[in-house]
Amino acid sequence: MSKVKTPIVILNFKTYLESSGEKALELAKTLESVSYESGITMAVAPQTADIFRINDETNIPILAQHIDPISPGGHTGSNLLECLVEAGINGTLINHSEIQMKLADIDKIIKGSKSRDIFSVVCTNNIESSRAAATLNPEFVAVEPPELIGSGVPVSQAEPEVVEGTVNEVKRINKNIDVLCGAGISTGDDMEAAIELGASGVLLASGIVLAKDPKEALLDLVSKV
Amino acid sequence: MSKVKTPIVILNFKTYLESSGEKALELAKTLESVSYESGITMAVAPQTADIFRINDETNIPILAQHIDPISPGGHTGSNLLECLVEAGINGTLINHSEIQMKLADIDKIIKGSKSRDIFSVVCTNNIESSRAAATLNPEFVAVEPPELIGSGVPVSQAEPEVVEGTVNEVKRINKNIDVLCGAGISTGDDMEAAIELGASGVLLASGIVLAKDPKEALLDLVSKV
Amino acid sequence: MSKVKTPIVILNFKTYLESSGEKALELAKTLESVSYESGITMAVAPQTADIFRINDETNIPILAQHIDPISPGGHTGSNLLECLVEAGINGTLINHSEIQMKLADIDKIIKGSKSRDIFSVVCTNNIESSRAAATLNPEFVAVEPPELIGSGVPVSQAEPEVVEGTVNEVKRINKNIDVLCGAGISTGDDMEAAIELGASGVLLASGIVLAKDPKEALLDLVSKV
Amino acid sequence: MSKVKTPIVILNFKTYLESSGEKALELAKTLESVSYESGITMAVAPQTADIFRINDETNIPILAQHIDPISPGGHTGSNLLECLVEAGINGTLINHSEIQMKLADIDKIIKGSKSRDIFSVVCTNNIESSRAAATLNPEFVAVEPPELIGSGVPVSQAEPEVVEGTVNEVKRINKNIDVLCGAGISTGDDMEAAIELGASGVLLASGIVLAKDPKEALLDLVSKV
């Protein structure tokens, strides 16, 4: 799987208790079932410790939340690409605002991902860094203005010019790169607005993970696509 | 399991390909079998992605290689204590020389480990930092002079005074803390020397992980205890 | 100057505009003059770029805000002990909560400071980490509960047991180490309370740096000692 | 000074004792005198503690080795742009391989530098990261393959295609950005080769700092331009 069908919904599980361990597995199954029902591609980015069993018990595409820019060897405590691939990832987030990376390391992980046929989603904070990320040729760029992350205020409505500008600049560098819209997304209106601005999908987290009824929230999310 | 029986052999899998994924599971089973045969406690510290299935398929004690000093929430890419406990850890390495921690964070992780009834092994680089670590009351202090890590030269022979001094200083702070001997350990002679210097076991990695025949190397390791 | 006379007031200039460049020099001169008037030892911890000229134009003791745990060589962008000593420091903060250090590096910088005859002030966040820091034998331990930093609520009143407990534990490890009280200190009452709890002085920042009239604030600070 | 005349020689003082304190000042004066004699622009990137007095006693352009991506406030131990500007910098290195930065922070520092009218030199490790850096519109990109830094083997001879490729890609993004050639440069032949490959100058360090006679080494460096 070097690329996935868009539009796509990627759910970042972060390190919430509501998306850890047994609950991570349940949530992944919920996404899988909504994906079947709606026909919209959905993927999960669980904690590293939960990747193996989600892969074992579901067919949903799985992303690592982070891969360390290391080669095999003496790197105690790091996340090795090869080990994550064997555990079952199909893609990876790179440079999420909560675990940002050095420029050279973003380049290294994108290249490593391509060599293992997994897709990469580089997270960025504005138009300028999105354009820079695009020159490194990941499959996706996910733009998330940091002030909106976890805010409940969707970037597609608060700063539509950031989404639109990112789409334009990224496509100008490489038209094969898809742009995702992150930060504050949680409803069907948010996702619809993102798609209309040129995004190929959304990257979201707390809006679904902490929802009273995640299945209902997911169904609403994709209701207008 | 708040404490394990000593003497103990802890094998740090680091991020070697030889101890990743399927091979991590095999290696854990090898340790488990040598532990049964020899009666010596053995524990493994695999990569995070491999914890779940090693716990699922063996009964060997498992340590995390690293836990991040976070609370549940928005910490993409981090290793959450609660998630690791659910995946199956019984203890954790803390402050390994390849992923050293801030002083306040070492304190935080030791306290968190106690609250979850898992044992903590703080890695240190010399007598002074071992004494400092001991004041934080972990179950184990593992002293590893950095220049000997991966060297094949055992600390128990190259710098016996470091092991002996660490045992004395740590026990003076808290006699219930056990000292492990790391760095360069691989043979039965090395382990025997460590025990004679007052250590309660060894923490090792490449000497076993990269051995031609890890089972034979493990049998040799514990042959003189 | 391997040690300074106590009680002592150390002012951390941090990176406020009000304590940068020309204003850093003025502020240092203000402390120098209040120190002469009051007879209380005062020292400043300015930004690295301001050390040379403060040393050139005043006689006040100067601390580095941070020293990197490096040896001379290829470490672009780092703060080298030898260079800072030549610029004029007499001591250094270590492990401030805004730039915390690994345990082994705290040990390294304390040893390096002793070798250059400058005094070290290790910042800590609670009783446990203060005790750990004390085993490394700095000249001072400055305890600052992180939740009170910049709060205006003095630790000496909000959590007197932390100050008292730190003094007891630190003195039990090494009675020659002096304890400073940080976090939220700004008035004469705060400093008086700190001294009564066994502290040998205070480490403070915004309460003075951002004061309408820093000289008046300093005079008030030492008015009850 | 928002831009400097090219060709340019930038000497990174790093943290060598040979370029610290009094010796940093002497070295800066040496560069200044060779610059006058040769007519080639020369600039220095000394340690932060030495910026003020080099600015005070010479007229040579000065770069910071690193600026932290902070705003004024509570950031103990950090290098604040405003403070460095007041100390006398005219430009800054950004993302040197020894102190690499996150993508968003590179963007932030370039923007901050422009707002203060100082020029920025972004260091990169290969063609891809050079292209990414160029999209952020610094005045210079300095490409330094990490394996050649401090090697004595000049990139202009060992990997001319990296220099040429970087010049092409950077100019394609923004033709106003100049490319510097770093890593292993020390002789007149090295600099000549760099210029012929399209570079606008060189960024160098140990080849001059540790030279027996830095003045002679500098004169040789610019002898063929």
Side-chain angles (χ1 to χ4, degrees), chain B residues 144-157:
Chain B
E144 303 193 290
E147 66 278 15
L148 298 180
I149 293 179
S151 69
V153 179
V155 60
S156 50
Q157 291 176 24

Side-chain angles (χ1 to χ4, degrees), chain A residues 29-60:
Chain A
K29 287 180 176 172
T30 299
L31 270 94
E32 190 180 32
S33 100
V34 176
S35 179
Y36 284 135
E37 290 177 34
S38 65
I40 303 291
T41 309
M42 296 201 171
V44 296
Q47 290 174 67
T48 305
D50 293 326
I51 291 170
F52 181 83
R53 72 165 149 171
I54 291 176
N55 182 56
D56 205 36
E57 302 198 29
T58 76
N59 286 311
I60 197 165

Side-chain angles (χ1 to χ4, degrees), chain C residues 13-27 46-47 49-50 53-54 65 209, chain D residues 72-73 78 80-84 86-87:
Chain C
F13 283 20
K14 296 193 174 179
T15 52
Y16 293 107
L17 288 180
E18 292 80 358
S19 50
S20 291
E22 194 64 40
K23 289 182 177 168
L25 181 59
E26 280 168 40
L27 188 54
Q47 290 173 66
D50 293 327
R53 72 165 150 175
I54 292 177
Q65 289 183 8
V209 172
Chain D
S78 291
L80 179 69
L81 170 61
E82 288 81 357
C83 187
L84 294 167
E86 196 172 337

